[in-house]
Amino acid sequence: EAQVTQNPRYLITVTGKKLTVTCSQNMNHEYMSWYRQDPGLGLRQIYYSMNVEVTDKGDVPEGYKVSRKEKRNFPLILESPSPNQTSLYFCASSKTGLAQYFGPGTRLLVL
Amino acid sequence: TQLLEQSPQFLSIQEGENLTVYCNSSSVFSSLQWYRQEPGEGPVLLVTVVTGGEVKKLKRLTFQFGDARKDSSLHITAAQPGDTGLYLCAGSNTGNQFYFGTGTSLTVIP
């Protein structure tokens, strides 16, 4: 089954404790992206990647890092999480950059 | 940041009614997408429009891209409870960066 998977689905952590949210797709897509969704603000793009070893900033990259060492994986790294990074995070992938397939989401709470 | 405004923010209608959701921006986009998101899930793509004035139909859903490529609308005919969800529009100029609207939450009452 073609899908985008994210882990973990739910995470509670404390300020400053480094964490990684993994994202993997099995559709051989070149394009991958991370978004955060907050009430009243909608989905905002954090980082995107056009292909392996190619990443670029989206609208709200501050406080986040990404890497794209393999085509199928695009982890999101929070080196020192803060409470304002509490949010619902989505990973997406696409072959063309238009028809994006989204993962199920990761709900993060930073205390 | 390129802002996409959706209206209405919330919509509650009876089964069988028609409705239109609007997505407006002051910016021009080369493509615009519509997604539907259900609680606890990621958005699912409904349609992509790329040409000014373009109209696409998906069963009871009709999507239109404005002539100036700054706005779009989604019209649902004879809404059904299965249409309930959060409808999101997203604009892009490069195919890399995407700007999403804040969404329209639709509830169709049986």
Side-chain angles (χ1 to χ4, degrees):
Chain A
E1 180 190 354
Q3 60 183 351
V4 178
T5 57
Q6 295 179 227
N7 282 292
R9 294 289 313 277
Y10 304 92
L11 180 59
I12 301 174
T13 189
V14 295
T15 298
K17 186 176 181 182
K18 181 180 178 179
L19 68 91
T20 299
V21 182
T22 64
C23 173
S24 183
Q25 52 94 4
N26 62 1
M27 295 170 278
N28 201 36
H29 286 166
E30 287 81 14
Y31 178 91
M32 297 186 75
S33 184
W34 275 103
Y35 297 87
R36 59 178 291 174
Q37 187 173 31
D38 302 289
L41 296 176
L43 277 153
R44 292 178 294 167
Q45 194 171 27
I46 303 171
Y47 269 96
Y48 62 91
S49 169
M50 294 300 292
N51 214 324
V52 175
E53 302 293 357
V54 180
T55 63
D56 214 338
K57 296 177 181 179
D59 219 21
V60 289
E62 294 78 19
Y64 304 95
K65 284 176 58 178
V66 293
S67 69
R68 188 89 182 274
K69 294 184 171 60
E70 305 167 279
K71 197 174 190 178
R72 64 182 293 128
N73 296 322
F74 191 43
L76 179 69
I77 303 157
L78 284 70
E79 295 270 5
S80 183
S82 62
N84 65 12
Q85 292 178 298
T86 291
S87 187
L88 178 57
Y89 291 87
F90 287 101
C91 179
S93 75
S94 170
K95 188 164 185 64
T96 64
L98 289 179
Q100 295 185 80
Y101 293 84
F102 282 81
T106 295
R107 192 169 290 279
L108 172 65
L109 173 61
V110 183
L111 300 173
Chain B
T1 300
Q2 297 172 294
L3 184 63
L4 277 164
E5 294 186 3
Q6 287 186 239
S7 62
Q9 190 175 356
F10 299 96
L11 191 54
S12 181
I13 62 171
Q14 295 288 330
E15 182 176 359
E17 292 183 354
N18 301 332
L19 67 111
T20 302
V21 176
Y22 299 93
C23 174
N24 295 298
S25 175
S26 57
S27 301
V28 176
F29 292 104
S30 61
S31 68
L32 195 136
Q33 304 173 332
W34 283 93
Y35 293 82
R36 183 171 74 202
Q37 183 179 19
E38 300 194 23
E41 299 182 9
V44 176
L45 180 71
L46 296 173
V47 77
T48 299
V49 286
V50 298
T51 305
E54 182 177 4
V55 176
K56 280 193 174 179
K57 291 193 175 185
L58 184 65
K59 297 184 181 178
R60 293 176 294 100
L61 279 60
T62 302
F63 305 86
Q64 184 161 8
F65 201 11
D67 290 341
R69 291 184 288 130
K70 291 184 178 181
D71 56 86
S72 181
S73 64
L74 158 60
H75 182 78
I76 301 179
T77 303
Q80 298 178 0
D83 296 326
T84 293
L86 179 68
Y87 289 81
L88 299 162
C89 64
S92 179
N93 274 318
T94 61
N96 303 335
Q97 287 190 277
F98 293 86
Y99 302 92
F100 278 78
T102 50
T104 294
S105 180
L106 171 65
T107 301
V108 181
I109 303 165

